[in-house]
Amino acid sequence: QVQLEETGGGLVETGRSLRINCVGSGYLLDTLTMAWFRQAPGKDREFVAATVLGGSERYSPDIVKGRFTIARDNAKNLMYLRMNDLKPEDTAVYYCASSRNRDDIENQDVYSYWGQGIQVTVSS
């Protein structure tokens, strides 16, 4: 069993930066991919970014546009998302997820474990 917990959310002004974190616990040895998804009010949950064990990252081009950076510290069971130049449209609940897959990692169905989510609100 894997538990994931997000921290670091909150309220920020447009143009500011924020880092959100995900700490994992439990059986993590076969976790290959960790990712961030987000869900804005009234919208479906959508892929933001993922990091695959071995060093590759993938980002949603429509959302990130060079503003976000995902990173992972396996020794600390930690993953984070650094978000720069935040915009009101980035307001959402952000979810951390983990998967044993390396493929199709933008598909939320391949993720077995999810955190509870953390609110990020960007004021205009």
Side-chain angles (χ1 to χ4, degrees):
Q1 192 75 0
V2 172
Q3 293 81 41
L4 302 173
E5 181 179 8
E6 302 95 342
T7 62
L11 173 66
V12 295
E13 296 177 343
T14 296
R16 296 288 194 176
S17 298
L18 188 69
R19 175 177 140 167
I20 55 177
N21 309 297
C22 174
V23 177
S25 60
Y27 187 74
L28 297 168
L29 292 179
D30 57 354
T31 296
L32 297 182
T33 302
M34 296 190 74
W36 289 99
F37 289 77
R38 73 183 189 184
Q39 187 168 19
K43 296 187 177 181
D44 294 332
R45 189 159 56 186
E46 60 184 350
F47 172 79
V48 177
T51 173
V52 181
L53 189 65
S56 66
E57 292 85 39
R58 186 175 301 173
Y59 297 94
S60 167
D62 293 338
I63 294 173
V64 174
K65 299 179 181 178
R67 299 182 298 131
F68 295 179
T69 301
I70 190 171
R72 179 174 179 173
D73 185 337
N74 292 318
K76 298 179 180 179
N77 295 329
L78 171 68
M79 176 186 65
Y80 66 83
L81 184 70
R82 175 73 178 180
M83 302 182 288
N84 297 324
D85 189 25
L86 283 162
K87 306 177 187 303
E89 52 263 40
D90 294 315
T91 295
V93 176
Y94 284 73
Y95 296 90
C96 167
S98 70
S99 172
R100 298 171 182 157
N101 288 11
R102 289 182 180 271
D103 302 316
D104 199 19
I105 59 176
E106 298 182 23
N107 181 357
Q108 58 184 311
D109 292 338
V110 308
Y111 292 87
S112 302
Y113 299 101
W114 293 82
Q116 292 296 312
I118 193 164
Q119 179 70 45
V120 172
T121 302
V122 184
S123 63
S124 57

